[in-house]
């Protein structure tokens, strides 16, 4: 079930109504049933996979906690790696590795044909697998106790607002909140609804409208060169931001209505002044997951500098692969890894150069320059993220340079939609600037009633009048 | 809880009011949908016995009524405008205006039988905006199907309100007095977008039933109803499982033994180069050949009727 569907508009009030109507001791059952219903609306069979992964991780974590022998604890952790990794490998990566090895076999004319699996990728598999593996790791590190109540653990593993596209929550944050009673609170519910409305605006008005142009061009990039490719790439930068952060806002808002606080996943990432900062503002729940469960176990900052750079690069390549079983994602991750290592290596020379150019004396200009530079480095990587194949990505990279003045109508683009999209981007830009000035976008509950009502009315009417209401646009991150 | 429900209801009411205002703004007189008014006026005034074609844009763009009128020697009226009105609505529109001796030729499009176009899409709301009195003839199913289309209709209304000039092709003046759409006849063809009709969905039996009910109602009024399959492009006919889906539909209609098809589905398959911009919209040449074939079927039908009467 998509958040941007009529089904969800019916489902959500029923779930929330039932949640507050029931006594606390029954709520976990209600939410668990609702979460499985939500997940099964895509493909009922995959609920079995979710259930299997839940029960196995639940059992392993209890086994780890009850064991005093370090060897046994390690073996159980290894089992968790194998089970969770096995699930991902089977359902997400098998065909990628098989076709890559097959290409190698074909190149050497070995005459071997590898079998392919014909599963449909279960929605959100990477999210819920990582969330549960993080839980087992936390128990292994004795940071949290293993959860004994299978029902609550199953709810934590399947909580519908964040099940299919995050935020990837930490057990220590989410599980206790699910166990606590929450009363209906007007201000909290209103705040959750505002979050949801903002998320719908970003998804339906900006992301889905941008998708019309982006899909048209990225589906057959070889039909274009220059400006249309540049336009589509810039638009994709906003599409993916609004799509994913829009989803996160809806998830955070939906959970907040029920009294559960999910972590912020985005903090105006395109205003970052360095790649390192970008990754502290973009998909925060995933970045911190990789930091805690991969980068630190690899040695973190406690290793020699060269090893540290290598670790960073490895983390980003793995992050690329997490996003999708395709070489385009691997390159996307590798590019970010290279950027970050380059940034660390060149930190001192850059600082010296900027001092020489007296840039720090012009703080505002210097900041804008850095934001501009980082935004364009990131946008360049989106080419690999969005392109359907590596060949397409390379074509786009080599044909980006424009040959003349920008023309749009000549390329048969939906210009009408485009003009509306400009409005959407402008509004988003305004919001971002406001956030930069530390004017909280939802602080208008302190504003006069007419300001608040005009804002609510404007956002809803804008979604209804200009949103892609029945485009059935999947959230991009569902495929991960 | 009451406080938030009250406030949300108030916001909802404001939104509904906005929708109401946007609904009430009069549509531009040159809209293609406004041709319904011209067609209905002719439907009411044209003396019987007549030949009435009912369908979507396929029949609007693909019929030469003058040619047929000359061959069949009966006044012809082409009621086709848009398949998105839904088969149900198209038939409701003519049902009460049928007179003894009329022949109604229904030319539905295949999406009326597969998927949910039987009850129409947002285009039905356009039809109702042009002709609000038709609201009272809608079935409960049509109303329920139509309501979720309202936001999309309002989005289209805004674009229409903003637009200051008529669409150069699809406008009210594109129709002849007999109801044929002719603006496309001298335009170059565009590549055809192909798709599967069924997309995993089964045949909608309710659509077949609507046709049968119409035939019974028309007979009771002393007229006759027949079916003609829509003209489609050859590549569309062979695309995916389309042929199988269309043959299943034909078999179902024949088994019902109610409304009689005057032609077979493959009679209406034409080469791709005879189509204008969609797999249903014929070019000048396609329209000519197709109209001649329809005229032959109708002449044969009327001849057989006369022969049967004289025996």
């Amino acid at each position: 079930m998509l958040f941007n569907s009529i089904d969800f508009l019916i489902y959500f009030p029923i779930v929330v109504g039932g949640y507050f109507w029931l006594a606390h001791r029954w709520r976990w059952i209600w939410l668990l049933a609702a979460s499985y219903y939500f997940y099964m609306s895509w493909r009922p069979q995959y609920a079995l996979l979710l259930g299997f992964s839940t029960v196995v991780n639940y059992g392993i974590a209890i086994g780890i906690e009850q064991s005093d022998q370090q060897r046994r604890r390690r073996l159980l952790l290894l089992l968790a790696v194998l089970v969770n990794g096995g699930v991902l490998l089977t359902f997400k990566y098998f065909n990628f590795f098989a076709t890559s090895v097959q290409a190698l076999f074909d190149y050497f004319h070995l005459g071997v044909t590898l079998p392919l699996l014909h599963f449909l990728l279960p929605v959100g598999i990477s999210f819920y697998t990582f969330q549960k593996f993080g839980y087992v790791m936390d128990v292994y590190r004795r940071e949290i106790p293993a959860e004994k109540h299978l029902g609550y653990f199953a709810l934590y593993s399947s909580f519908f607002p964040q099940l299919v596209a995050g935020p990837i929550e930490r057990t220590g944050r989410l599980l206790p909140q699910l166990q606590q009673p929450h009363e209906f609170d007007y201000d909290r519910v209103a705040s959750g609804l505002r979050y949801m409305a903002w998320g719908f605006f970003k998804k339906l008005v900006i992301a889905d409208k941008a998708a019309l142009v982006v899909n048209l061009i990225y589906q057959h990039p070889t039909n274009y060169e220059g400006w249309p490719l540049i336009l589509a790439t810039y638009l994709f930068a906003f599409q993916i931001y609004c799509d994913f952060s829009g989803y996160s806002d809806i998830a955070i808002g939906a959970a907040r209505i029920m009294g559960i606080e999910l972590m912020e996943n985005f903090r105006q990432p395109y205003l970052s002044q360095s790649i390192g900062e970008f990754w502290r503002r973009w998909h925060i729940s995933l970045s911190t997951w990789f930091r805690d469960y991969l980068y630190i176990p690899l040695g973190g900052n406690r290793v020699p500098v060269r090893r540290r750079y290598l670790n960073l690069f490895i983390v980003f390549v793995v992050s690329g692969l997490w996003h999708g079983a395709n070489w385009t994602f691997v390159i996307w991750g590798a590019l970010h890894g290279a950027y970050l290592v380059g940034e660390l290596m060149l930190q001192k020379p850059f600082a010296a150069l900027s001092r020489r150019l007296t840039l720090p004396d012009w703080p505002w200009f210097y900041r804008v320059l850095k934001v501009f530079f980082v935004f364009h480095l990131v946008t360049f990587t989106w080419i690999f993220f969005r392109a359907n194949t590596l060949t397409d990505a390379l074509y786009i990279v080599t044909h980006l340079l424009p040959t003349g003045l920008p023309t749009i109508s000549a390329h048969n683009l939906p210009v009408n939609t485009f003009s509306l999209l400009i409005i959407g981007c402008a509004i988003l830009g305004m919001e971002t600037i406001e956030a930069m000035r530390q004017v909280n976008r939802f602080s208008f509950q302190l504003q006069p009633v007419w300001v608040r009502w005009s804002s609510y009315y404007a956002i809803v009417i804008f979604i209804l009048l200009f949103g892609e209401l029945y485009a059935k646009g999947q959230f991009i991150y569902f495929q991960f | 809880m009451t406080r938030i429900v009250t406030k949300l209801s108030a916001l909802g009411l404001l939104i509904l009011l906005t929708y109401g205002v946007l609904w009430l703004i009069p549509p531009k007189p040159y809209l293609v949908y406004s041709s319904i008014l011209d067609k209905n006026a002719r439907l009411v005034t044209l003396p019987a016995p007549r030949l009435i074609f009912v369908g979507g844009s396929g029949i609007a763009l693909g019929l030469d009524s003058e040619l047929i009128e000359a061959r069949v020697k009966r006044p012809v009226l082409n009621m086709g405008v848009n398949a998105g009105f839904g088969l149900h609505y198209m038939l409701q529109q003519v049902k009460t205006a049928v007179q003894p001796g009329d022949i109604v030729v229904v030319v539905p499009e295949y999406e009326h039988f597969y998927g949910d176009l039987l009850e129409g899409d947002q285009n039905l709301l356009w039809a109702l905006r042009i002709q609000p009195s038709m609201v009272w003839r809608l079935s409960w199913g049509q109303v329920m199907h139509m309501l979720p289309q309202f936001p999309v209709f309002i989005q289209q209304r805004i674009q229409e309100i903003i637009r200051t000039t008529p669409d150069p092709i699809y406008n009210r003046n594109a129709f002849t007095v007999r109801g044929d759409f002719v603006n496309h006849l001298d335009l170059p063809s565009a590549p055809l977008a192909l798709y599967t009709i069924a997309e995993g969905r089964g045949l909608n039996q309710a659509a077949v039933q609507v046709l049968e009910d119409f035939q019974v109602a028309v007979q009771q009024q002393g007229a006759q109803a027949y079916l003609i399959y829509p003209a489609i492009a050859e590549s569309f006919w062979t695309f995916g499982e389309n042929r199988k889906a269309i043959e299943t539909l034909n078999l179902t209609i024949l088994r019902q033994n109610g409304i009689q098809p005057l032609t077979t589905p493959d009679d209406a398959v034409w080469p791709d180069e005879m189509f204008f911009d969609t797999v249903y919209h014929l070019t000048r040449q396609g329209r000519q050949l197709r109209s001649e074939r329809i005229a032959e079927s109708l002449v044969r039908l009327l001849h057989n009727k006369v022969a049967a009467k004289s025996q």
Side-chain angles (χ1 to χ4, degrees):
Chain A
M1 187 187 307
L2 295 171
F3 281 165
N4 52 328
S5 65
I6 291 182
D7 295 352
F8 186 76
L9 283 182
I10 299 166
Y11 162 90
F12 186 63
I14 293 173
V15 172
V16 172
Y19 177 78
F20 285 115
W21 181 71
L22 285 167
H24 172 65
R25 65 177 183 279
W26 303 114
R27 282 182 182 172
W28 70 268
I29 301 174
W30 174 252
L31 276 188
L32 182 62
S35 297
Y36 267 78
Y37 177 81
F38 179 83
Y39 193 65
M40 287 165 74
S41 65
W42 272 284
R43 195 170 263 245
Q45 304 89 297
Y46 284 140
L48 292 174
L49 186 66
L50 178 64
F52 166 77
S53 151
T54 302
V55 170
V56 169
N57 283 290
Y58 168 81
I60 289 174
I62 288 180
I64 288 174
E65 190 183 61
Q66 288 176 348
S67 175
D68 296 327
Q69 297 173 332
Q70 187 56 21
R71 191 166 170 269
R72 190 178 145 81
R73 288 166 60 85
R74 274 202 187 138
L75 275 175
L76 284 168
L77 182 66
L78 182 68
L79 182 65
V81 173
L82 289 175
V83 170
N84 290 303
V87 165
L88 277 180
L89 190 72
T90 311
F91 287 90
K92 186 165 177 177
Y93 297 109
F94 184 85
N95 287 355
F96 167 64
F97 289 125
T99 48
S100 299
V101 174
Q102 183 70 56
L104 212 63
F105 285 173
D106 293 347
Y107 183 77
F108 290 110
H109 303 290
L110 291 180
V112 180
T113 307
L114 293 173
L116 292 177
L117 299 177
H118 298 285
F119 297 131
L120 194 69
L121 181 68
V123 176
I125 186 171
S126 303
F127 285 93
Y128 69 69
T129 305
F130 266 41
Q131 183 159 309
K132 282 193 281 263
F133 182 70
Y135 159 73
V136 174
M137 278 287 279
D138 287 348
V139 172
Y140 176 78
R141 291 170 174 171
R142 300 183 205 278
E143 286 174 5
I144 53 163
E147 174 57 44
K148 307 296 183 306
H149 193 299
L150 178 60
Y152 272 115
F153 182 71
L155 174 58
Y156 156 75
S157 308
S158 63
F159 184 50
F160 76 88
Q162 47 90 245
L163 172 62
V164 289
I168 305 170
E169 275 294 341
R170 301 308 157 83
T171 319
R173 251 182 73 91
L174 180 57
L175 197 55
Q177 292 191 72
L178 293 170
Q179 290 163 331
Q180 283 159 11
H182 301 281
E183 295 309 314
F184 184 91
D185 178 85
Y186 173 82
D187 289 332
R188 198 191 61 226
V189 171
S191 163
L193 286 171
R194 282 194 291 267
Y195 252 90
M196 290 182 82
W198 185 243
F200 280 120
F201 172 82
K202 287 201 272 191
K203 168 66 178 163
L204 298 172
V205 180
I206 302 173
D208 285 355
K209 282 215 173 289
L212 295 176
V213 181
V214 174
N215 293 347
L216 187 79
I217 293 171
Y218 267 78
Q219 209 56 41
H220 303 288
T222 49
N223 292 347
Y224 307 91
E225 57 182 82
W227 289 112
L229 296 177
I230 291 174
L231 172 77
T233 305
Y234 275 126
L235 286 180
F236 182 67
F238 285 102
Q239 182 198 343
I240 191 156
Y241 170 62
C242 291
D243 190 283
F244 194 21
S245 70
Y247 178 89
S248 294
D249 285 345
I250 299 169
I252 291 167
R256 182 174 287 179
I257 287 171
M258 293 181 279
I260 290 149
E261 290 297 328
L262 299 180
M263 66 188 292
E264 283 285 344
N265 223 5
F266 293 87
R267 277 199 304 265
Q268 295 82 46
Y270 289 149
L271 296 180
S272 304
Q273 296 177 46
S274 68
I275 294 293
E277 189 189 348
F278 175 79
W279 281 104
R280 288 191 296 276
R281 288 163 163 248
W282 178 277
H283 203 174
I284 299 163
S285 63
L286 182 71
S287 314
T288 50
W289 194 98
F290 272 116
R291 182 196 64 201
D292 295 346
Y293 303 113
L294 186 59
Y295 181 66
I296 291 174
L298 283 172
N301 294 343
R302 294 161 291 133
V303 290
V305 172
R306 284 192 181 176
R307 177 63 199 273
R308 189 183 156 203
Y309 292 163
L310 179 67
N311 288 348
L312 271 176
F313 191 75
I314 290 170
V315 166
F316 275 92
V317 170
V318 175
S319 161
L321 201 56
W322 178 89
H323 281 86
N326 194 324
W327 285 107
T328 51
F329 290 110
V330 176
I331 290 176
W332 172 79
L335 273 172
H336 272 282
Y339 283 169
L340 204 59
V341 170
E343 189 173 273
L344 289 171
M345 286 170 76
L346 298 171
Q347 212 166 20
K348 282 182 184 169
F350 262 134
L353 181 69
S354 59
R355 275 197 302 274
R356 215 170 182 185
L357 296 169
T358 67
L359 288 173
D361 297 341
W362 307 82
W364 189 85
F365 174 72
Y366 190 31
R367 201 160 54 227
V368 169
L369 197 69
K370 284 194 282 188
V371 167
F372 180 82
F373 187 62
V374 169
F375 172 73
H376 282 85
L377 282 178
V378 171
T379 302
F380 178 76
T381 66
W382 290 132
I383 295 173
F384 291 89
F385 195 95
R386 175 59 185 84
N388 293 333
T389 62
L390 206 51
T391 319
D392 280 0
L394 292 174
Y395 172 87
I396 294 166
V397 169
T398 52
H399 292 78
L400 264 183
L401 282 183
T403 47
L405 290 172
T407 50
I408 293 161
S409 54
H411 296 285
N412 199 20
L413 299 179
V415 177
N416 208 16
T417 306
F418 178 66
S419 56
L420 291 173
L421 175 68
I422 293 290
I423 301 170
C425 286
I427 289 172
L428 182 68
M430 186 182 68
E431 189 270 336
T432 312
I433 291 162
E434 278 186 357
M436 191 175 66
R437 289 176 178 168
Q438 296 180 336
V439 177
N440 187 324
R441 63 176 179 253
F442 294 130
S443 70
F444 50 65
Q445 65 254 44
L446 304 172
Q447 302 294 321
V449 70
W450 70 268
V451 174
R452 281 184 284 133
W453 274 83
S454 308
S455 308
Y456 301 151
Y457 173 76
I459 202 163
V460 176
I461 207 76
F462 216 85
I463 291 170
L464 288 171
L465 297 187
F466 301 111
E468 286 298 309
L469 298 179
Y470 297 124
K472 293 181 182 164
Q474 284 265 19
F475 288 89
I476 296 173
Y477 266 68
F478 278 16
Q479 61 187 301
F480 311 138
Chain B
M1 181 91 86
T2 318
R3 191 172 158 206
I4 199 111
V5 171
T6 312
K7 288 194 171 184
L8 284 175
S9 306
L11 186 62
L13 203 66
L14 268 176
I15 301 292
L16 279 180
L17 272 173
T18 312
Y19 271 16
V21 170
L22 288 168
W23 169 272
L24 286 174
I25 295 172
K28 309 257 167 52
Y30 49 69
L31 273 188
V32 72
Y33 301 104
S34 301
S35 62
I36 302 172
L37 299 173
D38 308 328
K39 292 184 184 220
N40 274 345
R42 189 165 153 86
L43 180 67
V44 175
T45 52
L46 201 67
R50 308 162 293 181
L51 197 51
I52 304 164
F53 285 89
V54 179
S57 61
I59 198 67
L61 274 75
L63 195 73
D64 184 346
S65 298
E66 209 174 332
L67 181 151
I68 292 177
E69 197 168 299
R71 303 275 175 89
V72 182
K73 313 274 189 257
R74 271 185 186 224
V76 173
L77 175 55
N78 182 349
M79 292 292 290
V81 178
N82 190 312
F85 292 168
L87 180 62
H88 208 160
Y89 181 85
M90 293 169 187
L91 300 178
Q92 283 164 332
Q93 216 181 356
V94 293
K95 197 154 77 177
T96 50
V98 165
Q99 293 174 26
D102 283 347
I103 292 178
V104 183
V105 181
V106 186
V107 194
E109 294 182 10
Y110 292 118
E111 287 76 5
H112 290 132
F113 298 95
Y114 291 96
D116 48 10
L117 208 57
L118 165 69
E119 308 291 20
D121 55 21
Q122 71 276 7
N123 289 294
L124 175 58
L125 282 156
W126 277 107
L128 293 172
R129 182 61 195 86
I130 303 292
Q131 224 185 351
S133 59
M134 282 296 289
V135 168
W136 309 113
R137 291 199 213 162
L138 297 184
S139 69
W140 183 242
Q142 279 170 298
V143 173
M144 292 311 288
H145 193 79
M146 186 181 69
L147 286 178
Q149 310 290 332
F150 210 81
V152 173
F153 164 74
I154 291 293
Q155 289 190 345
Q156 292 181 350
R157 275 245 65 192
I158 287 182
Q159 292 188 17
E160 183 250 323
I161 291 164
I162 294 168
R163 194 177 181 133
T164 50
T165 52
D167 186 290
I169 304 172
Y170 292 100
N171 62 63
R172 186 180 185 172
N173 297 328
F175 293 88
T176 65
V177 69
R178 291 179 182 82
D180 300 340
F181 186 97
V182 291
N183 262 12
H184 67 300
L185 293 180
D186 297 317
L187 293 173
S189 298
L192 302 178
L194 301 177
Y195 54 90
T196 47
I197 300 167
E199 279 180 358
R201 298 166 298 201
L203 176 68
N204 184 359
Q205 291 290 344
V208 179
Q209 194 53 50
V210 164
L211 266 182
E212 299 306 324
D213 293 346
F214 176 73
Q215 200 245 358
V216 172
V218 163
Q219 265 183 346
Q220 283 169 353
Q221 288 165 257
Q224 289 293 322
Y226 296 93
L227 181 79
I228 285 185
Y229 289 101
I232 53 167
E234 198 168 6
S235 56
F236 181 61
W237 166 247
T238 53
F239 188 75
E241 303 273 292
N242 284 354
R243 183 177 184 157
K244 197 175 155 195
I246 293 168
E247 284 173 347
T248 305
L249 167 69
N250 186 39
L251 266 177
T252 311
I253 287 173
L254 289 175
R255 274 199 210 114
Q256 289 270 344
N257 211 15
I259 191 163
Q260 284 306 300
L262 289 179
T263 55
T264 58
D266 52 335
D267 273 344
V269 177
W270 298 91
D272 283 14
E273 55 272 20
M274 289 191 189
F275 287 81
F276 165 55
D277 60 348
T278 78
V279 293
Y280 285 109
H281 294 172
L282 286 162
T283 58
R284 181 188 287 279
Q285 189 198 5
R287 174 178 177 263
Q288 166 84 16
L289 294 171
R290 161 88 162 148
S291 301
E292 280 174 7
R293 196 171 285 181
I294 290 176
E296 276 171 31
S297 311
L298 288 166
V299 167
R300 208 179 309 127
L301 172 79
L302 290 172
H303 176 80
N304 290 346
K305 272 189 153 191
V306 172
K309 256 189 187 173
S310 59
Q311 279 172 9

